[in-house]
Amino acid sequence: MSGNNLAFIFPAFTREYTDHPGVKLAGFASHFHAALNTAAAKVDPSLTNFSFAGSTLPEDELCTQYITYIYSCAASSLLRNSGFTPAMNAGYSMGIYASLFDAGSISFETGLELIRLAYQSLMGAIGSQSFGMASLIGLSGRDIHHLIDQSNLKIEITNQNASHSFVVSGHRDDILKLLELAKEEGSLHTRDLEVSIPYHSSYLKEGALLFGNQISHLEIKYPGNRIISLIDQTFLTNPEIIRQELINNLFYALNWFRTKQVMLESQISVFVECGPSKGLVKNSKFVDGNFRFYTLASLPLIHGEHIPN
Amino acid sequence: MATITETTKKEVKEIVYSFFAEECEVDIGQINDNTSIIKDLDGDSLMFLELIEMFKKKYNLDIELKVIGKYAVKHPVATIGQLIEMQLLIIEYENRLLELDQ
């Protein structure tokens, strides 16, 4: 399964693995554990304690990011080994690292190093301030801006998933206040994302610039296929553009909704979510166009000749 | 304000049942009006939103999502049957849905 209509999409980090789709893919477990062992040796020996059935890892964001990255890299490697060749990659939020690994721009180990440096730079920069993120479904961007402005909340809209589905980042107390205001305004669903870093917001500019200084020595290569930016929907065509995107990805707002539209306009019609959840597939329904979305779990049923179940 | 006929009721029920059977990968025969959307089907708010968008297109409805959100706060939906009832009210009253509480 290859060609100019196939895209791999890489999710942000998740803590939920109990019903992960890789379990249905032959060979996934060995791919994952090989990558897990490599990562443990490189960045954190305790990663070997991870288990899909119930992890004994501390529930900190850094470990969570490592595991999702490892999972996504193992999944996309398996797909490529099985004959899937994407024409385009997109990395949703922290999914950018797995996206770059898959396209051949960075090594697996460099991806781990980028995750560690980004996390440490951002945590150092925000210090003792309390931040958070939340998702809101059912209100328009204008409605959310109005709620933020009228209460003078220190919050920014940092991603649009669909016409009425948004992610916000900002000061923790204000995030909680916005969630209450959004419910009163008629939001169909609100969720505290329970993270401490306000990703993709200007609050992270200082940390992102520090991160930029720290990654200058890391090797980044030309990508083997097109990679689309979730910030401005341009293509990341060379190492310097990719390096800048890695920095900007931390403190510029994303637009996943617009990214999907541009991918469709670029003749992408088959999307495969390379990750442990089906979050990107779920919110794919709100874009008009003729396309198909697959999770890792739904692939073997359709392409059993490539990946025996 | 649309008139809800028996045909509309049947159509809405069929759409809701088919939608959840496909989305939640369950046999449609396992779904009934008492089926819990979250506990039994592992449904979520994105599915609810998708269903609303489907009905908005199908019946050319003039309704803001936040009107539905405000109504749902006072009339929470837990089962398939309750969801069908709400969809019928949305089709019938559109943006006047909140007038039902006045």
Side-chain angles (χ1 to χ4, degrees):
Chain A
M1 187 179 186
S2 62
N4 57 13
N5 68 337
L6 175 65
F8 282 177
I9 54 176
F10 296 84
F13 52 91
T14 177
R15 295 184 173 89
E16 184 54 58
Y17 289 90
T18 49
D19 192 25
H20 74 99
V23 73
K24 294 187 178 180
L25 294 183
F28 177 78
S30 59
H31 263 72
F32 176 80
H33 286 290
L36 186 70
N37 289 334
T38 302
K42 171 77 178 173
V43 290
D44 185 347
S46 75
L47 289 173
T48 53
N49 295 329
F50 175 80
S51 157
F52 291 119
S55 178
T56 55
L57 283 174
E59 287 199 356
D60 69 62
E61 285 170 35
L62 183 56
C63 273
T64 304
Q65 289 189 40
Y66 284 145
I67 295 295
T68 304
Y69 170 76
I70 294 163
Y71 191 106
S72 295
C73 292
S76 71
S77 297
L78 180 61
L79 292 179
R80 282 187 182 261
N81 290 347
S82 305
F84 290 75
T85 306
M88 194 185 297
N89 284 5
Y92 181 97
S93 185
M94 298 302 109
I96 189 172
Y97 307 112
S99 167
L100 292 173
F101 163 74
D102 179 74
S105 273
I106 59 173
S107 68
F108 178 70
E109 289 81 359
T110 297
L112 292 165
E113 183 72 353
L114 286 166
I115 291 169
R116 184 182 70 79
L117 290 171
Y119 183 81
Q120 291 177 348
S121 300
L122 299 180
M123 286 300 283
I126 63 176
S128 59
Q129 296 180 87
S130 185
F131 288 99
M133 295 178 73
S135 64
L136 306 167
I137 295 174
L139 297 181
S140 66
R142 191 175 169 182
D143 289 333
I144 297 170
H145 275 302
H146 180 66
L147 293 176
I148 291 170
D149 292 344
Q150 75 175 10
S151 295
N152 200 25
L153 302 177
K154 293 184 177 65
I155 292 176
E156 298 169 10
I157 292 179
T158 46
N159 192 8
Q160 179 176 13
N161 284 320
S163 63
H164 288 76
S165 176
F166 293 87
V167 177
V168 295
S169 306
H171 286 252
R172 176 113 191 107
D173 289 346
D174 286 357
I175 289 283
L176 297 177
K177 189 169 182 181
L178 179 65
L179 293 181
E180 289 304 314
L181 292 171
K183 283 180 202 164
E184 290 170 15
E185 185 65 15
S187 180
L188 291 168
H189 179 74
T190 59
R191 187 160 73 98
D192 179 358
L193 296 180
E194 296 180 357
V195 295
S196 58
I197 296 176
Y199 288 104
H200 316 301
S201 73
S202 62
Y203 301 111
L204 297 181
K205 184 174 182 180
E206 184 186 336
L209 297 178
L210 175 64
F211 169 73
N213 292 334
Q214 293 177 336
I215 67 170
S216 58
H217 68 287
L218 295 177
E219 185 182 22
I220 298 174
K221 298 175 186 170
Y222 281 84
N225 54 259
R226 287 188 294 174
I227 305 173
I228 190 167
S229 163
L230 267 74
I231 298 170
D232 61 8
Q233 292 74 50
T234 56
F235 293 107
L236 309 178
T237 51
N238 69 54
E240 283 318 301
I241 289 174
I242 290 171
R243 199 179 300 276
Q244 190 60 50
E245 181 78 4
L246 284 164
I247 300 164
N248 293 348
N249 184 58
L250 298 178
F251 75 106
Y252 275 83
L254 311 179
N255 192 323
W256 178 234
F257 185 48
R258 179 67 189 139
T259 301
K260 285 182 289 186
Q261 291 172 326
V262 172
M263 291 173 85
L264 290 170
E265 289 163 8
S266 304
Q267 311 307 314
I268 296 298
S269 59
V270 179
F271 296 80
V272 179
E273 181 167 352
C274 299
S277 67
K278 52 183 178 183
L280 298 179
V281 170
K282 276 184 177 179
N283 72 35
S284 70
K285 310 289 176 63
F286 304 98
V287 178
D288 291 330
N290 184 22
F291 59 89
R292 289 169 291 159
F293 261 85
Y294 297 112
T295 65
L296 296 175
S298 60
L299 271 172
L301 302 173
I302 299 155
H303 301 287
E305 70 277 18
H306 294 293
I307 304 179
N309 193 359
Chain B
M1 198 165 86
T3 302
I4 303 298
T5 64
E6 288 304 315
T7 306
T8 312
K9 288 181 182 177
K10 188 181 173 195
E11 197 171 62
V12 168
K13 183 170 182 169
E14 284 175 0
I15 291 171
V16 170
Y17 272 50
S18 301
F19 174 82
F20 278 100
E22 184 179 338
E23 287 292 318
C24 302
E25 296 171 359
V26 298
D27 189 306
I28 197 165
Q30 293 178 1
I31 299 175
N32 60 56
D33 283 359
N34 295 321
T35 301
S36 168
I37 297 168
I38 294 175
K39 288 179 185 170
D40 299 332
L41 298 176
D42 197 23
D44 59 34
S45 51
L46 278 175
M47 291 180 192
F48 185 49
L49 182 60
E50 189 181 355
L51 200 54
I52 290 168
E53 293 294 340
M54 280 171 60
F55 282 112
K56 278 178 74 173
K57 279 183 187 170
K58 180 170 179 58
Y59 293 101
N60 194 26
L61 302 177
D62 176 23
I63 186 160
E64 286 190 79
L65 290 172
K66 61 183 178 182
V67 169
I68 300 171
K70 284 178 181 169
Y71 185 81
V73 169
K74 291 184 179 175
H75 308 274
V77 164
T79 66
I80 291 290
Q82 290 169 343
L83 180 62
I84 291 168
E85 287 299 318
M86 182 184 278
Q87 290 293 352
L88 290 168
L89 290 174
I90 291 169
I91 293 168
E92 186 172 2
Y93 290 94
E94 301 180 70
N95 267 327
R96 296 172 62 194
L97 187 64
L98 294 175
E99 292 177 13
L100 288 170
D101 287 332
Q102 292 172 357

